[in-house]
Amino acid sequence: MEGNMTYLLMLAVSAIEVMIIYKIRYVYSRLPIFAIIVSIVTITALYSISILSVDKYLRAYTFNFATVDLVLLVIMLVYMYQMKRDLRDLPVAKQPDFLVVLGNKCMGSRVPPILSERLEKAIQLYNNFERKPQIIVSGSKSSESSYETEAEMMRKYLIDHNIPESAIIKEDESINTVQNLEYSAIEIHQTWQKKTRPRVIIVTSDYHIPRTKWHAKRLGLEVQFAAACTVRMLKWPAMFREFTAIVWYHRYSLLTLLGMDLVFSLSMCM
């Protein structure tokens, strides 16, 4: 009887986890605070079961799930804090030699809202500076079904908004943020003929600033950043996608951590 109760509880925990994973993106994209509260309540409940249960297998099972949830929640909260701090501490943009506009997924023939916000920010900066910088638009095709590369769509958008074609450099090989930065740096190196270091502003969305800054620092790039504001309706879904990108990028470290947690959980069964 006790064994059956253990299996039922383990099945219930599994069902709750599956439901949370299945629905968390939808909930977070619309009610982020509620999603965070649900995560905290779930983690607390699972840790409580692991402490109070007399069955060692149930203790290990719930402890492992609770730790996985806790790690993911901490990553999300740290990301949200980092974004807020980075946006607060962004310095006023100084006269650049290059503006680098990072691409964003384009599934149709029109520039999507998030990417248009980045381009509008670049146009604003371009028009504000007395000495006009070169604008590098960076991004390959988002998918096989895409009509054009992100860079080509961005180039046309800028021209339609009175940016001279001669001021635009197209980088259309990169497929992610790291390549956006790397390949744009190559374009700058090939274009810049002076002995002084070029001054560069990276233009991207507000939610994308933390990861972009981290990659730029890792690549040794000394650049400024300008954040394009994302409308509220699109910002939370975009932040969740950014969170999943962070998790995926650090997947090996996370798998190592979770493997250690699994070993610790199994040791509770001995």
Side-chain angles (χ1 to χ4, degrees):
M1 185 68 180
E2 185 177 329
N4 291 337
M5 182 60 68
T6 297
Y7 290 134
L8 286 173
L9 285 172
M10 291 171 68
L11 184 62
V13 168
S14 300
I16 291 171
E17 281 293 314
V18 169
M19 183 59 67
I20 289 174
I21 292 171
Y22 181 69
K23 289 291 186 180
I24 195 66
R25 177 170 184 164
Y26 175 85
V27 176
Y28 182 84
S29 297
R30 288 155 179 80
L31 300 167
I33 303 302
F34 177 73
I36 291 171
I37 291 173
V38 168
S39 296
I40 293 173
V41 170
T42 303
I43 292 165
T44 303
L46 291 177
Y47 273 132
S48 298
I49 293 172
S50 70
I51 293 170
L52 299 175
S53 176
V54 295
D55 187 281
K56 58 185 180 181
Y57 295 106
L58 182 59
R59 288 204 309 269
Y61 195 72
T62 53
F63 183 88
N64 194 59
F65 269 127
T67 302
V68 172
D69 291 346
L70 179 61
V71 169
L72 295 176
L73 178 62
V74 168
I75 292 172
M76 173 56 77
L77 293 176
V78 169
Y79 160 61
M80 292 172 67
Y81 168 78
Q82 189 67 43
M83 183 186 71
K84 185 176 181 180
R85 192 182 73 170
D86 286 345
L87 294 176
R88 183 192 63 206
D89 296 340
L90 277 183
V92 177
K94 299 178 182 178
Q95 172 68 57
D97 300 300
F98 294 90
L99 295 173
V100 178
V101 189
L102 304 187
N104 187 255
K105 183 176 288 187
C106 302
M107 300 306 294
S109 58
R110 299 182 63 182
V111 172
I114 288 177
L115 187 53
S116 68
E117 288 160 352
R118 297 181 186 182
L119 292 166
E120 289 295 336
K121 183 66 177 182
I123 293 168
Q124 177 193 353
L125 290 169
Y126 180 89
N127 291 329
N128 286 346
F129 291 119
E130 184 176 347
R131 182 164 56 83
K132 303 305 181 187
Q134 293 282 102
I135 302 179
I136 298 177
V137 288
S138 178
S140 181
K141 280 191 174 184
S142 299
S143 66
E144 292 298 325
S145 61
S146 300
Y147 294 93
E148 297 174 309
T149 64
E150 296 166 17
E152 177 60 19
M153 295 174 70
M154 294 158 73
R155 186 188 72 85
K156 290 180 178 178
Y157 187 99
L158 292 174
I159 293 173
D160 289 343
H161 287 75
N162 302 316
I163 301 298
E165 188 171 1
S166 59
I168 304 170
I169 300 172
K170 187 171 68 170
E171 184 289 295
D172 57 3
E173 298 294 330
S174 57
I175 60 174
N176 54 44
T177 300
V178 176
Q179 291 186 4
N180 284 156
L181 297 171
E182 288 179 334
Y183 295 177
S184 295
I186 292 172
E187 292 287 347
I188 291 170
H189 179 74
Q190 293 175 344
T191 304
W192 189 247
Q193 301 298 322
K194 300 178 183 179
K195 293 183 178 180
T196 57
R197 181 188 293 271
R199 288 168 292 189
V200 181
I201 295 179
I202 306 294
V203 182
T204 190
S205 302
D206 43 16
Y207 67 86
H208 194 221
I209 288 288
R211 188 158 62 96
T212 305
K213 286 185 71 174
W214 188 85
H215 285 311
K217 184 177 181 180
R218 190 178 63 85
L219 293 170
L221 304 178
E222 296 183 14
V223 295
Q224 304 175 68
F225 294 89
C229 292
T230 308
V231 296
R232 189 175 184 86
M233 182 177 67
L234 300 175
K235 187 172 183 176
W236 290 111
M239 285 178 64
F240 190 85
R241 288 196 302 273
E242 191 69 6
F243 157 73
T244 57
I246 294 170
V247 170
W248 177 252
Y249 189 84
H250 296 284
R251 61 191 180 278
Y252 297 118
S253 298
L254 291 172
L255 286 172
T256 300
L257 178 63
L258 296 177
M260 294 170 62
D261 174 65
L262 179 61
V263 171
F264 181 76
S265 299
L266 291 174
S267 69
M268 297 172 66
C269 299
M270 297 178 181

